[in-house]
């Protein structure tokens, strides 16, 4: 055991520490708008993404509110079916492509990755800025398409509906997503090179924080998967514009081909969404229990295994499409292979908490919420990977509930945990802890109230994307809408107190959580423009709480 | 307030099998969720931070535990997978004595055709205890034909046939939903299936009496001049279609033909349909590529008519192909499919 210091300077506000306060940091060394829009600093680019994605999240949430409001009553009495279809399409397109996929890598990843591996920036800072502009251009196209009349294909753009039957803004939306894809590819490429080439001396692969492993696995998927969706959307454009038969059988094409191509990307995309929050959760669980992650290499390996397996399970979205029964069995079996590493992760966190020193700061509450919701989301996936039950559940609200548990309960809640975790590093300020805990609890309760009834109504057979539904489904839908309002309040709170805290929050120390990774131990809060005054040298594993406290005591004295 | 269902009706032979598997996975879900939530609470109570400077013992892992929580879930997953395949086999293999009903989906309605020629829109009738096999296609976009009370579902895919079957075990009226998003009025592409006793069903059928599908198909066979080449006695220009259904056909691999040498194809409904729409796709051995047969697209043979043609081809027994110079006769003048004299 280490020498335990009597007072933890890690928890003291920065203003009381000598050598800090009034220094130059990445936020105050330049303040003009141009200095933000032309910045090459990964930390600022992370914040640019954060702002853009928050705006998209609010917009996507607005459409979710419209959907839930319409579904209070069985009759389609609030809006036309056309507008309803456009609303769920807008909700899906915005949330999947503009929020969930880039969410953690582009915001938290951009900010944290170089800090965590002891680098001054990512490998290609200009490319990093370009990625953000590409994101914004893609978002611009899509928003113009949505505002200029909308698009009603569903976020899946299934053919031949999307290519030859609809008159809405399919091409414009597809163009926006095509452009957006390059943002994802470039970010993935940038991160892979950064992780390979920019690690500081002594940081070998198995000394990297697990969040970095998660970003690495994610980047591999982004790099390999995204070109496929770009090609697929381009083919949709070719068929729609030129009438070349690719997907529409009337023109000699095959609609099932589209599903294969689409899910070949869009299933791995689920893991683009969920792997980074899994990585974030590792940091949170370790930090707030002051223990190294139990079975580090297994955890790193599980991230890579999930990334690899994610590419060979896509046809489980197509079990009812007339797929050959043998192919269906094959893909069902492979799908279970993703369940195993996901389960390993949950068990690993529990083992990490065992005999830990657990504190319940708001990031940890989010991490608990993440584990709970990810467990339910993952376990209910069993119903859908199992052939005998999937046939009944396919395209019902059960699927809607399942993937919201994974993508919102998992990805969004994990992101919120990560955001609350690095907020003091990002802005050097603490947010109101009470409100943050309230938000974490409201989101957990509201989320379950919204989506658990959807499992039940899905088992009853209520199909997805229904503007009107039979009367017997109403009670469960009312519960769901009631939960959505609670969830909405839970999301609204951070939108208010986080920006407030940037200006008025209590000053945070360099390491308010007592975390062990370089971003906390070797940089200021907020960091200086080039992160590290001296290149750090790593001598051991990433999670060493015993030595951290010795080191902190040495720092306190200087 | 609380009188809403959380359990769908279970009204077919496969529904209890699906339900048993469902309950098993529910039990796994409850077990795992209870374990995770229980341990989270327990550890939180036991190991909350007592002092700001507390540093707990630093465990790094345990090979035994890690192997355990990899191996045990793997075994459980394999059990669930195997059980799932068993139920799936029940769901996809119809009994040989199933009654054929053909379903065409279009924006936004379901059309059903019975062997006796009866038609229905957004409705289906079935006999208690009698298996029914649906052959499904679409005239436009993707749809999906779903009867939750029977736990069955199959997409309607334009350009090909999919199938599903069920055997009702409970009289009553049940929902039919379209479960694949198909455009503006997707949520109105719904219907009802009525399960009746045999006697009621026969009464209902006779009230809707029509010319049988196979007979309608025979008319088309003459009208479209199929018989000019697909003659019974001479196979010089095209193969005979007598008793072709579900036979394995050796394919021609003439130069230019997209078929591998030695390939065969099962002459199921999908093959018959493809050979009418795209005659050159898979040519029977002994005939030249490309096919001399014209392609019959939707303007010549609608999906409804396609089902009639196929019903006719399926009914063709040895020696029943009409002679080439037979005139199209009025429907009422026809009895059973006439054999050659």
């Amino acid at each position: 055991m280490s020498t335990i210091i009597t007072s933890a300077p890690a928890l003291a506000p920065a203003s009381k520490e000598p050598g800090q306060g009034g220094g130059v940091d990445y936020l105050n060394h330049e303040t003009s708008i141009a200095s933000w829009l032309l910045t090459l600093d990964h930390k600022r680019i992370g914040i640019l993404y954060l702002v853009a994605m928050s705006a998209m999240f609010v917009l996507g949430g607005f459409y979710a509110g419209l959907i839930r409001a319409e579904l209070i009553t069985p009759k389609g009495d609030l809006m036309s079916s056309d507008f309803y279809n456009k609303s769920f399409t807008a909700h899906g397109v915005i949330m999947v492509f503009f929020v969930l996929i880039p969410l953690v890598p582009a915001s938290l990843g951009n900010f944290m990755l170089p800090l965590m591996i002891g680098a001054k920036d990512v490998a290609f800072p200009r490319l990093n800025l370009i990625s953000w502009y590409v994101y914004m251009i893609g978002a611009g196209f899509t928003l113009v398409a949505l505002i200029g009349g909308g698009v009603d294909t569903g976020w899946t753009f299934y053919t031949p509906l999307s290519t030859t039957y609809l008159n809405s803004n399919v091409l414009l939306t597809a163009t926006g997503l095509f452009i957006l894809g390059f943002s994802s590819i470039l970010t993935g490429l940038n991160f892979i090179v950064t992780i390979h080439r920019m690690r500081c001396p002594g940081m070998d692969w198995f000394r990297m924080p697990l969040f970095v492993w998660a970003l690495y696995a994610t980047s591999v998927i982004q790099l390999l998967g995204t070109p496929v969706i770009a090609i697929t959307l381009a083919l949709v454009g070719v068929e729609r514009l030129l009438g070349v038969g690719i997907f529409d059988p009337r023109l000699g094409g095959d609609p099932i081909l589209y599903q294969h191509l689409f899910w070949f990307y869009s299933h791995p995309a689920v893991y683009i969404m969920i792997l980074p929050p899994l990585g974030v959760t590792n940091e949170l669980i370790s930090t707030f229990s002051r223990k190294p992650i139990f079975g580090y290499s297994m955890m790193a390996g599980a991230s890579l295994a999930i990334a690899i397996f994610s590419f060979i399970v896509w046809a489980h979205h197509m079990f009812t499409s007339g797929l050959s029964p043998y192919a269906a069995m094959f893909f069902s079996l492979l799908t279970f292979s993703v369940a195993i590493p996901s389960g390993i992760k949950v068990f690993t966190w529990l083992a990490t908490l065992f005999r830990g020193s657990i504190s319940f700061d708001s990031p940890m509450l989010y991490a608990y919420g993440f584990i709970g919701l990810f467990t339910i989301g993952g376990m209910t996936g069993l119903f859908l990977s199992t052939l005998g039950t999937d046939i009944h559940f396919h395209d019902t609200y059960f699927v809607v509930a399942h993937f919201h548990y994974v993508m919102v309960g998992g990805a969004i809640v994990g992101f919120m945990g990560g955001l609350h975790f690095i907020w003091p590093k990002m802005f050097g300020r603490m947010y109101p802890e009470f409100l943050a805990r309230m938000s974490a609890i409201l989101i957990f309760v509201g989320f379950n109230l919204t989506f658990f009834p959807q499992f039940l109504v899905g088992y009853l057979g209520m199909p997805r994307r229904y503007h009107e539904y039979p009367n017997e489904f109403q009670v469960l839908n009312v519960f769901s809408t009631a939960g959505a309002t609670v969830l909405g309040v839970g999301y609204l709170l951070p939108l208010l107190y986080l920006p407030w805290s940037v200006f008025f929050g209590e000053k945070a120390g360099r390491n308010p959580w007592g975390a062990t990774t370089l971003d906390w131990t070797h940089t200021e809060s907020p960091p200086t423009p080039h992160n590290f005054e001296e290149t750090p040298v790593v001598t051991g594993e990433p999670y060493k709480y015993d030595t951290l406290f010795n080191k902190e005591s040495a720092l306190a004295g200087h | 307030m609380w009188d809403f269902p959380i359990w769908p009706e279970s009204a077919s032979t496969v529904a209890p099998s699906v339900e048993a598997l469902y309950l098993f996975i529910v039990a796994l879900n409850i077990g795992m969720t209870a374990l995770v939530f229980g341990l989270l609470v327990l550890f939180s109570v036991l190991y909350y931070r007592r002092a700001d400077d507390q540093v707990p013992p630093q465990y790094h892992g345990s090979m035994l535990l890690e192997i355990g929580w990899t191996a045990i879930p793997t075994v459980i997953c394999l059990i669930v997978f195997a059980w799932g395949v068993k139920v799936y086999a029940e769901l996809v293999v119809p009994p040989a004595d199933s009654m054929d009903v053909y379903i065409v989906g279009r924006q936004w309605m379901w059309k059903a055709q019975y062997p006796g020629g009866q038609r229905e829109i957004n409705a289906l009738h079935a006999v208690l205890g009698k298996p029914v096999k649906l052959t499904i296609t679409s005239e436009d976009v993707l749809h999906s034909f779903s009867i939750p009370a029977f736990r069955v579902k199959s997409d309607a895919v334009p350009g090909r046939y999919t199938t599903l079957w069920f055997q009702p075990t409970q009289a009553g009226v049940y929902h039919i939903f379209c479960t694949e998003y198909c455009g503006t009025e997707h949520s109105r592409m719904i219907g009802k299936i009525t399960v009746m006793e045999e006697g009621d069903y026969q009464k209902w059928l006779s009230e809707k009496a029509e010319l049988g599908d196979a007979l309608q198909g025979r008319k088309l066979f003459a009208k479209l001049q199929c018989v000019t080449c697909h003659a019974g006695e001479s196979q010089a220009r095209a193969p005979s279609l007598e008793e072709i259904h579900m036979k394995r056909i050796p394919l021609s691999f003439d130069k230019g033909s997209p078929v591998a040498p030695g390939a065969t194809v099962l002459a199921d409904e999908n093959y018959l349909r493809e050979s009418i729409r795209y005659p050159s796709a898979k040519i029977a051995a002994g005939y030249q590529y490309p096919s001399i047969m014209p392609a019959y697209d939707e303007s010549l043979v609608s999906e409804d008519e396609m089902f009639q043609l196929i019903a006719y081809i399926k009914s063709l027994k040895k020696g029943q192909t009409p002679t080439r110079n037979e005139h199209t006769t009025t429907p009422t003048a026809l009895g059973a499919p006439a054999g050659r004299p």
Side-chain angles (χ1 to χ4, degrees):
Chain A
M1 281 293 287
S2 66
T3 320
I4 295 173
I5 47 175
T6 46
S7 73
L11 300 167
S15 54
K16 292 179 189 160
E17 283 182 32
Q20 275 200 18
V24 173
D25 61 53
Y26 82 102
L27 292 170
N28 67 13
H29 78 117
E30 282 179 304
T31 52
S32 67
I33 290 177
S35 76
W36 277 90
L37 293 179
L38 299 174
T39 183
L40 301 181
D41 185 342
H42 68 97
K43 302 182 286 298
R44 286 189 166 206
I45 293 170
I47 291 171
L48 289 177
Y49 269 115
L50 190 60
V51 171
M53 289 188 294
S54 300
M56 292 305 264
F57 180 75
V58 170
L59 187 61
F62 169 74
Y63 282 110
L66 289 181
I67 295 168
R68 285 310 334 158
E70 170 62 76
L71 293 178
I72 292 175
T73 55
K75 288 269 159 291
D77 37 20
L78 191 67
M79 55 185 87
S80 69
S81 52
D82 185 52
F83 188 77
Y84 180 81
N85 296 343
K86 286 174 176 167
S87 296
F88 72 67
T89 303
H91 171 69
V93 166
I94 291 174
M95 288 303 203
V96 169
F97 294 108
F98 291 93
V99 179
L100 287 164
I101 287 175
L103 183 63
V104 174
S107 65
L108 308 186
N110 249 322
F111 189 90
M112 300 288 273
L113 174 60
L115 297 176
M116 280 188 148
I117 61 172
K120 293 199 161 148
D121 209 313
V122 292
F124 307 116
R126 277 183 185 78
L127 203 59
N128 203 14
L129 183 64
I130 289 170
S131 304
W132 183 74
Y133 277 102
V134 171
Y135 173 94
M136 296 303 282
I137 294 168
F141 269 89
T142 306
L143 289 181
V144 166
L146 293 178
I147 292 161
V151 59
D152 57 346
T153 55
W155 78 275
T156 47
F157 296 94
Y158 267 19
T159 58
L161 184 68
S162 65
T163 51
T164 41
Y165 286 87
L166 293 178
N167 297 318
S168 53
N169 293 325
V170 179
L171 273 182
L172 201 56
T173 314
T175 308
L177 298 181
F178 182 86
I179 295 169
L180 175 74
F182 287 94
S183 168
S184 195
I185 293 170
L186 296 179
T187 302
L189 176 76
N190 213 341
F191 282 9
I192 287 174
V193 177
T194 305
I195 294 169
H196 272 274
R197 305 298 302 162
M198 305 284 283
R199 283 169 289 129
C200 68
M203 173 144 318
D204 62 34
W205 284 87
F206 289 95
R207 287 177 181 172
M208 297 194 310
L210 283 159
F211 182 50
V212 178
W213 273 107
L215 286 177
Y216 187 76
T218 308
S219 300
V220 170
I221 305 178
Q222 284 175 290
L223 198 60
L224 298 180
T226 317
V228 179
I229 191 74
I231 292 163
T232 310
L233 290 172
L235 290 176
V236 167
V238 166
E239 180 164 291
R240 210 178 149 82
L241 213 54
L242 309 175
V244 178
I246 299 163
F247 304 123
D248 186 349
R250 272 172 200 255
L251 306 170
D254 181 354
I256 306 297
L257 171 67
Y258 174 83
Q259 296 183 21
H260 280 292
L261 291 172
F262 179 80
W263 289 114
F264 184 81
Y265 167 73
S266 295
H267 193 78
V270 173
Y271 296 93
I272 298 178
M273 303 174 201
I274 196 68
L275 273 170
L278 288 166
V280 166
T281 306
N282 285 325
E283 305 302 322
L284 301 181
I285 294 292
S286 172
T287 302
F288 293 98
S289 66
R290 288 202 183 142
K291 282 187 60 194
I293 288 293
F294 190 91
Y296 171 98
S297 45
M298 194 85 158
M299 188 58 116
S303 293
L304 290 181
I306 288 175
I308 293 164
F309 292 152
S310 74
F311 276 105
I312 52 173
V313 301
W314 75 89
H316 68 215
H317 295 270
M318 303 162 56
F319 285 158
T320 65
S321 70
L323 197 67
S324 137
Y326 298 103
M329 288 177 207
F330 180 72
F331 279 103
S332 169
L333 182 62
L334 289 175
T335 301
F336 283 100
S337 70
V338 186
I340 310 297
S342 307
I344 288 174
K345 284 177 178 279
V346 173
F347 293 125
T348 299
W349 293 323
L350 291 172
T352 305
L353 291 173
F354 177 69
R355 297 192 68 186
S357 166
I358 303 172
S359 76
F360 301 99
D361 297 299
S362 48
M364 187 61 155
L365 293 189
Y366 278 111
Y368 268 40
F370 175 88
I371 295 176
L373 300 177
F374 179 71
T375 301
I376 297 174
M379 286 301 291
T380 51
L382 286 183
F383 294 101
L384 305 176
S385 52
T386 306
L387 282 169
T389 43
D390 177 71
I391 303 299
H392 176 61
F393 286 122
H394 183 78
D395 267 333
T396 67
Y397 261 85
F398 192 95
V399 177
V400 175
H402 160 70
F403 73 70
H404 278 86
Y405 265 85
V406 177
M407 291 183 190
V408 184
I412 301 275
V413 171
F415 163 79
M416 294 292 277
L419 184 65
H420 283 79
F421 181 57
I422 72 166
W423 194 260
K425 181 58 62 186
M426 239 177 198
F427 295 103
R429 304 270 187 170
M430 299 302 292
Y431 42 80
E433 175 67 15
F434 175 76
L435 288 178
R437 289 184 188 185
M438 283 300 297
S439 159
I441 291 166
L442 281 177
I443 287 175
F444 183 80
V445 172
F447 180 85
N448 281 299
L449 189 54
T450 308
F451 291 103
F452 199 82
Q454 296 185 6
F455 283 126
L456 303 176
V457 85
Y459 185 50
L460 287 174
M462 179 167 165
R464 297 172 67 176
R465 298 169 167 177
Y466 260 32
H467 175 229
E468 299 179 342
Y469 56 85
N471 293 331
E472 67 258 34
F473 300 150
Q474 186 178 9
V475 174
L476 289 167
N477 273 291
V478 170
F479 273 117
S480 201
T481 301
T485 56
V486 178
L487 189 57
V489 174
Y491 286 134
L492 193 64
L493 282 177
L495 282 173
L496 300 175
Y497 66 71
L498 286 178
W500 177 88
S501 74
V502 171
F503 303 101
F504 307 109
E506 199 183 321
K507 282 213 160 67
R510 65 154 56 187
N511 191 0
W513 312 121
T516 54
T517 46
L518 293 178
D519 43 331
W520 297 100
T521 56
H522 284 69
T523 71
E524 306 301 328
S525 299
T528 52
H530 295 291
N531 302 346
F532 302 94
E533 293 316 300
E534 282 173 43
T535 303
V537 177
V538 175
T539 54
E541 49 166 308
Y543 307 111
K544 277 189 83 66
Y545 291 90
D546 37 13
T547 49
L548 167 81
F549 280 81
N550 292 333
K551 189 156 185 257
E552 286 286 345
S553 64
L555 275 179
H558 85 177
Chain B
M1 172 72 196
W2 295 101
D3 58 342
F4 58 93
I6 57 165
W7 205 269
E9 282 174 292
S10 171
S12 73
T13 49
V14 292
S17 310
V18 175
E19 220 148 81
L21 176 57
Y22 169 76
L23 287 175
F24 177 66
I25 305 176
V26 167
L28 288 178
N29 268 259
I30 292 174
M32 175 72 176
T33 309
L35 178 74
V36 171
F37 280 68
L39 287 180
L40 278 180
V41 171
L42 182 70
F43 291 169
S44 302
V45 171
L46 291 178
Y47 309 123
Y48 68 89
R49 187 170 295 168
R50 263 75 170 182
D52 277 350
D53 54 0
Q54 187 185 359
V55 176
Q58 308 281 297
Y59 303 117
H60 284 87
S62 150
M63 190 54 87
L64 199 65
L65 266 178
E66 287 168 42
I67 290 173
W69 67 48
T70 309
I72 294 170
T74 304
V75 172
I76 293 174
C77 281
L78 286 175
I79 292 170
V80 177
F81 163 73
W83 192 345
V85 168
K86 188 172 163 285
V87 174
Y88 180 64
E90 276 182 62
L91 280 164
V92 293
V93 183
D97 61 341
S98 304
M99 181 178 88
D100 275 312
V101 177
Y102 298 107
I103 305 286
V104 180
R106 60 174 301 175
Q107 286 176 330
W108 291 278
M109 63 171 78
W110 293 110
K111 300 187 287 186
Q113 292 172 235
Y114 292 78
Q118 292 87 349
R119 308 285 189 95
E120 290 190 273
I121 301 279
N122 291 339
L124 211 55
H125 286 74
V127 184
L128 185 64
K130 286 267 180 72
V132 178
K133 178 186 163 203
L134 305 184
T135 300
I136 304 167
T137 190
S138 163
E139 278 181 357
D140 40 40
V141 302
L142 294 169
H143 304 280
S144 187
F145 191 90
S146 152
I147 308 173
F150 296 169
R151 312 290 189 276
V152 295
K153 180 179 291 148
S154 184
D155 290 6
V157 183
R160 69 170 73 171
Y161 292 147
T162 57
T163 58
L164 68 76
W165 79 276
F166 53 81
Q167 181 174 335
T169 55
Q170 193 181 305
V173 180
Y174 307 104
H175 286 298
I176 296 168
F177 292 132
C178 172
T179 50
E180 183 66 72
Y181 174 65
C182 57
T184 312
E185 298 297 346
H186 169 53
S187 70
R188 292 193 175 162
M189 192 164 165
I190 56 178
K192 299 277 187 198
I193 174 164
T194 309
V195 176
M196 330 162 93
E197 302 286 349
E198 175 79 48
D200 297 337
Y201 183 76
Q202 290 306 336
K203 193 157 154 263
W204 173 81
L205 271 187
S206 60
E207 280 166 8
K208 297 195 60 125
E210 287 277 348
L211 198 59
D213 262 358
L215 283 180
Q216 304 262 25
R218 186 170 185 273
K219 268 176 62 189
L220 284 168
F221 199 75
K223 182 177 144 213
L224 297 166
Q225 295 175 326
C226 310
V227 69
T228 317
C229 299
H230 291 285
E233 74 280 20
S234 157
Q235 303 194 12
R237 302 175 70 183
S240 162
L241 301 179
E242 291 168 358
E243 295 184 353
I244 195 174
H245 180 237
M246 294 315 270
K247 267 209 192 109
R248 196 156 270 288
I249 313 282
L251 293 179
S252 156
F253 47 96
D254 232 8
K255 67 175 188 307
S257 153
V259 170
T264 61
V265 65
L266 186 68
D268 58 3
E269 284 89 339
N270 257 321
Y271 174 66
L272 296 177
R273 180 187 186 287
E274 181 183 53
S275 299
I276 296 169
R277 288 262 191 263
Y278 314 104
S280 294
K282 297 188 186 90
I283 296 175
Y287 299 91
Q288 72 182 63
Y289 177 91
S291 173
I292 56 170
M293 174 174 157
Y296 289 85
D297 65 13
E298 283 89 344
S299 63
L300 297 168
V301 180
S302 73
E303 291 295 351
D304 305 17
E305 291 172 333
M306 180 67 80
F307 277 134
Q308 295 168 345
L309 266 180
I310 288 175
Y312 173 61
I313 293 170
K314 283 168 70 175
S315 76
L316 259 184
K317 296 278 177 295
K318 211 75 201 141
Q320 286 186 344
T321 307
T323 47
R324 217 177 288 179
N325 55 3
E326 184 185 297
H327 293 293
T328 311
T329 45
T330 53
T332 44
L334 279 166
R340 273 188 306 129

